[in-house]
Amino acid sequence: QNWARGMSYCLHSESHLDTGPIYVRENGKLHVVNQGAGGIQNVTPKTRPFRLFSRGFSVELCLNSEDDKARRQRTDHFIFTYTKEGNLRYSAKSLFSLVLGYISDNVDHIDSLIGFPEQIAEKLFSAAEARQKFTEPVTGLRALQKFTEAYGNLVLCSLCLRNRYLVISEKLEEIKSFRELTCLDLSHCKLGDEHELLEHLTKEALSSIKRLLLKDNSLSDAGLRRMTAPVRVLKKGLENLLVLDLSCNPKITDVGIGYLLSFKKLNCLDISGTGLKDVNAVIKRIQMQLGLVHSKVPLKEFDHSNCKTEGWAEQTVLQWEQAVLEAIKPQDNLRSRTAALHFYGKTHRLEEVVKCKLVEAETKASVNLQFYKEKVQNCHLPLKKEVAGSHEVKNNKKRALAEQERERTSKKKHLCLTVEDWDLLNTY
């Protein structure tokens, strides 16, 4: 009774507080304290539904966009969808997708992919590409090399770097890692004769190139001599070349065209806009030694719109270009300032002079010097004796002229192999 009186006094003293029912266990039984009567009743507690939050409670899911890595670790194992009622539903990803994501996050630690199935390797490459692993400076190069060593032209069979000199300078080692390319477009890149990429063209890794476009690259006879040295002597390098574009390189002369005669498999050649002195002699020489015919109409093989980047790494090259463009965005303000200075006449308008020079160069290079190989048609019709005899006389004359040309070219070949050539070949 004393205990009950003390409890009722406590309740009456703090009656302004709504504490709810109070349960007390005594002698193994549970009692409830009745606040209205001030006594104790032996009743069993009513079961109430468990509620973690109150009725009006609401929560909003917020993700930190800056901490993308932590967010991916929290949600990478689940797929979030919405039901028809608008409720959020999540389901666990498959074990294959989880393993694929983990390997793609650590793709630079792969030892080798040789012998790995191509179908799964393509998915792995796409997953790593989506995470932009190949844009990283060091780890991206190491990861890309593992794929190119194992799959060659599947990673990239055609590469178009037309007017992308900044991409070449920033990602030169990554570009050199591509193997078994069949088409390479380096037009309007101003590489010059001493560029490292031109030296890489003569390596065995790029001996599969069949179409090479080097339009407007400031090449000269020295650059052509370096490119053709392995083919002329070692029968290696660009020996499988079928289409070659050397147009708009005014430093290439008649001597440089002589180095191109080592490409015996050429089907199409463009030397428009070069610094040839005796054009007619060069045309005859190309017709005699390479079997190419001068085209009066521009050939579709030299239409640069046909050359595109194709392969697994197509999006990777676009990511490189986007990264380079983002890096040079701060220079736009400088361009606006120079435009304002031009408007107020503070500086000389040098850009217009450069454009005029380019227009003059294009007008001078309007002569079309494109060559192609005609398809030989075999005629199995019987010939008359007189016609056959006339053909024999003509064939004898052609053979005599051919032997004379061979003697001349053999002497010229010996003259072409100078000490510089041998020093150059020793580097391979």
Side-chain angles (χ1 to χ4, degrees), residues 124-139:
L124 179 60
F125 189 93
S126 300
E129 189 178 55
R131 289 167 168 79
Q132 296 188 354
K133 300 296 292 186
F134 300 115
T135 58
E136 299 176 0
V138 179
T139 58

Side-chain angles (χ1 to χ4, degrees), residues 176-279:
K176 289 170 62 177
S177 66
F178 293 123
R179 300 185 174 207
E180 300 180 10
L181 288 174
T182 58
C183 179
L184 181 59
D185 189 353
L186 299 174
S187 303
H188 306 286
C189 288
K190 303 292 184 180
L191 298 180
D193 296 329
E194 304 295 331
H195 200 275
E196 188 176 352
L197 184 57
L198 292 178
E199 183 181 354
H200 180 68
L201 291 177
T202 60
K203 304 295 182 182
E204 294 183 1
L206 294 181
S207 60
S208 60
I209 289 183
K210 296 182 179 180
R211 186 178 182 185
L212 181 60
L213 306 177
L214 296 173
K215 180 178 180 180
D216 190 17
N217 268 285
S218 303
L219 296 176
S220 65
D221 297 339
L224 295 184
R225 180 174 62 83
R226 296 184 63 184
M227 287 175 54
T228 57
V231 182
R232 286 186 283 120
V233 180
L234 302 177
K235 303 299 180 183
K236 295 182 180 180
L238 299 172
E239 57 180 351
N240 297 316
L241 199 60
L242 299 178
V243 179
L244 179 60
D245 185 3
L246 294 173
S247 59
C248 299
N249 290 293
K251 294 182 180 180
I252 295 178
T253 62
D254 303 22
V255 179
I257 301 300
Y259 297 128
L260 302 178
L261 301 178
S262 58
F263 297 137
K264 300 298 182 181
K265 296 182 180 180
L266 269 183
N267 289 334
C268 297
L269 175 64
D270 188 1
I271 53 175
S272 305
T274 54
L276 301 180
K277 297 180 180 179
D278 193 350
V279 178

